[in-house]
Amino acid sequence: MSKLRLQGQTAIVTGGSRGIGRGIALTLAAEGADIAFCHYRDNDKAKETVSEIENLGRKCFASECDVSSVSAIKEFYQGAKAALGDFDILVNNAGHNITENFEDISEESFSRMLDVHVKGTFFMTQTVYRDMKLQGSGRIINITSQLAYKGAGTLTHYCAAKGANTTFTRALALECAGTGVLVNAVAPGVTNTDLLTPLSDELLDTLKAAIPLDRFAEVEEIAPAVAFLASPEGSFFHGSCISPNGGEVMF
């Protein structure tokens, strides 16, 4: 995809201060978009990401936001809109992950997992979608996971949340057809980010063994899928899921 395909557009990326979210924010900025992103208790990394986006010649708005709170979502969106105007692209990337045996998962842990992934995605989308519908255009891209399709032990609550977001993508795509708003998903495979740091070498070897390409993805291999769906070339994708996963799940 050639550069500056998103020139003059504005994008929101939730969880944009590090990992895949940061990669997405930087890739969209490199394609010409101004960026608003939220983060959770990550001020230092957020400042670094803002600086990198501005060094690309783009405007950037960043703010802390716990996406599990609808009031926090609305406050973030109003701040972002005041700073950058209307938005053309929304990427729901904010996430939370922890490995736990199924029988040990507490109500609190379960609720946090679904509140961040499902509630956060749902109400951030609802908030932004209203304006996109009025302007007659927009791209909504939900970051799910290959685990929504294959599942994983010790991640039952995470898989349930990602499965919900995958189905939400399809349902909203049906409801908003004809409004000019396109809704899709990207389901990355295991990716080299700091989320892998706490995992044991044994678990990492097990995860890698399940991937035919015998390696994990790099962030730079995930973010372009989002940029594609946001670009003019993605104009006939609706209710779809792109899954860069090294062959771990084959559709």
Side-chain angles (χ1 to χ4, degrees):
M1 188 164 61
S2 62
K3 297 297 182 182
L4 302 181
R5 291 299 180 93
L6 303 178
Q7 184 75 49
Q9 297 194 44
T10 52
I12 289 175
V13 181
T14 68
S17 61
R18 62 173 62 228
I20 291 175
R22 173 182 172 278
I24 291 169
L26 291 173
T27 297
L28 298 183
E31 289 286 350
D34 293 329
I35 305 294
F37 72 86
C38 64
H39 63 93
Y40 184 62
R41 299 177 179 175
D42 198 25
N43 287 321
D44 290 343
K45 286 289 186 182
K47 290 177 182 177
E48 291 177 13
T49 304
V50 169
S51 178
E52 291 182 76
I53 290 170
E54 291 178 342
N55 286 341
L56 291 169
R58 312 295 168 233
K59 296 177 183 177
C60 185
F61 171 85
S63 177
E64 182 163 334
C65 174
D66 183 347
V67 297
S68 70
S69 165
V70 176
S71 61
I73 286 172
K74 291 180 178 179
E75 182 178 355
F76 164 74
Y77 181 62
Q78 290 306 315
K81 188 174 179 180
L84 299 179
D86 292 329
F87 286 91
D88 306 286
I89 302 158
L90 167 63
V91 183
N92 285 303
N93 168 80
H96 160 70
N97 197 4
I98 183 173
T99 57
E100 297 179 283
N101 292 326
F102 171 67
E103 64 268 28
D104 296 329
I105 296 172
S106 66
E107 181 179 0
E108 180 183 10
S109 181
F110 177 85
S111 295
R112 181 62 181 169
M113 188 70 73
L114 268 70
D115 282 352
V116 170
H117 289 278
V118 183
K119 182 180 176 183
T121 293
F122 189 98
F123 285 103
M124 182 67 76
T125 300
Q126 184 187 75
T127 300
V128 179
Y129 171 74
R130 290 185 175 118
D131 284 340
M132 286 184 172
K133 184 178 178 180
L134 286 174
Q135 68 193 29
S137 64
R139 304 290 176 93
I140 296 169
I141 302 162
N142 298 320
I143 305 303
T144 63
S145 170
Q146 93 286 13
L147 296 182
Y149 296 94
K150 65 174 289 184
T154 71
L155 287 168
T156 52
H157 44 1
Y158 178 84
C159 293
K162 289 302 190 182
N165 282 347
T166 300
T167 305
F168 166 66
T169 299
R170 296 169 181 156
L172 182 59
L174 289 171
E175 182 167 336
C176 74
T179 65
V181 181
L182 302 181
V183 186
N184 293 288
V186 173
V190 184
T191 305
N192 273 323
T193 69
D194 55 9
L195 290 178
L196 300 185
T197 303
L199 303 184
S200 67
D201 290 342
E202 182 180 5
L203 179 54
L204 291 172
D205 288 343
T206 299
L207 292 172
K208 189 177 295 184
I211 304 171
L213 292 187
D214 195 35
R215 66 177 179 86
F216 299 144
E218 300 298 331
V219 170
E220 293 76 14
E221 296 175 297
I222 305 301
V226 176
F228 167 74
L229 290 172
S231 76
E233 287 88 345
S235 60
F236 204 58
F237 283 77
H238 191 52
S240 296
C241 180
I242 297 176
S243 185
N245 63 61
E248 185 178 357
V249 179
M250 300 185 185
F251 300 98

